[in-house]
């Protein structure tokens, strides 16, 4: 959204968000306000959850690429057996 606004490509029917940069800035301030009231244990727990989900997201893509193997020995009528 911000990149399109900088390019001045807005035509008729294009969504224009009123307030410009103020909406994302206010949102970030509100999120920081809510997160500032956390205890250290809660903060550490959230950081662990975010880190583990990030590893799952990026690590899952890497593992999926490694699992894709092309086997030329299978014909179109055969299906691979998964155990």
């Amino acid at each position: 959204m911000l990149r399109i606004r900088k390019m001045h490509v807005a035509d008729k029917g294009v969504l224009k968000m009123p307030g410009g940069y103020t909406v994302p800035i206010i949102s970030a301030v509100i999120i920081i306000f809510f997160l500032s009231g956390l205890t250290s244990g809660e903060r550490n727990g959230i950081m662990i959850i975010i880190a583990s989900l990030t590893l799952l997201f990026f690590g899952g893509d890497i593992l999926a690429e490694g699992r894709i193997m092309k086997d030329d020995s299978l014909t179109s009528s055969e299906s691979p057996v998964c155990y």
Side-chain angles (χ1 to χ4, degrees):
M1 179 75 176
L2 297 176
R3 187 179 304 160
I4 293 172
R5 187 174 293 150
K6 284 183 180 180
M7 294 183 338
H8 304 290
V9 183
D11 293 329
K12 262 188 172 177
V14 174
L15 174 67
K16 291 179 90 175
M17 192 168 74
Y21 292 110
T22 57
V23 173
I25 291 171
I26 290 173
S27 301
V29 168
I30 290 171
I31 290 171
I32 290 169
F33 173 74
F34 284 130
L35 292 178
S36 67
L38 296 176
T39 64
S40 63
E42 292 169 335
R43 194 176 307 119
N44 291 339
I46 288 176
M47 288 192 310
I48 290 170
I49 289 171
I50 290 173
S52 61
L53 290 176
T54 302
L55 287 175
L56 282 175
F57 181 77
F58 290 112
D61 288 343
I62 293 170
L63 290 175
E65 288 176 7
R67 280 191 231 146
I68 298 173
M69 291 187 243
K70 294 182 180 176
D71 190 2
D72 294 334
S73 64
L74 294 176
T75 63
S76 61
S77 63
E78 297 176 346
S79 62
V81 178
C82 298
Y83 295 101

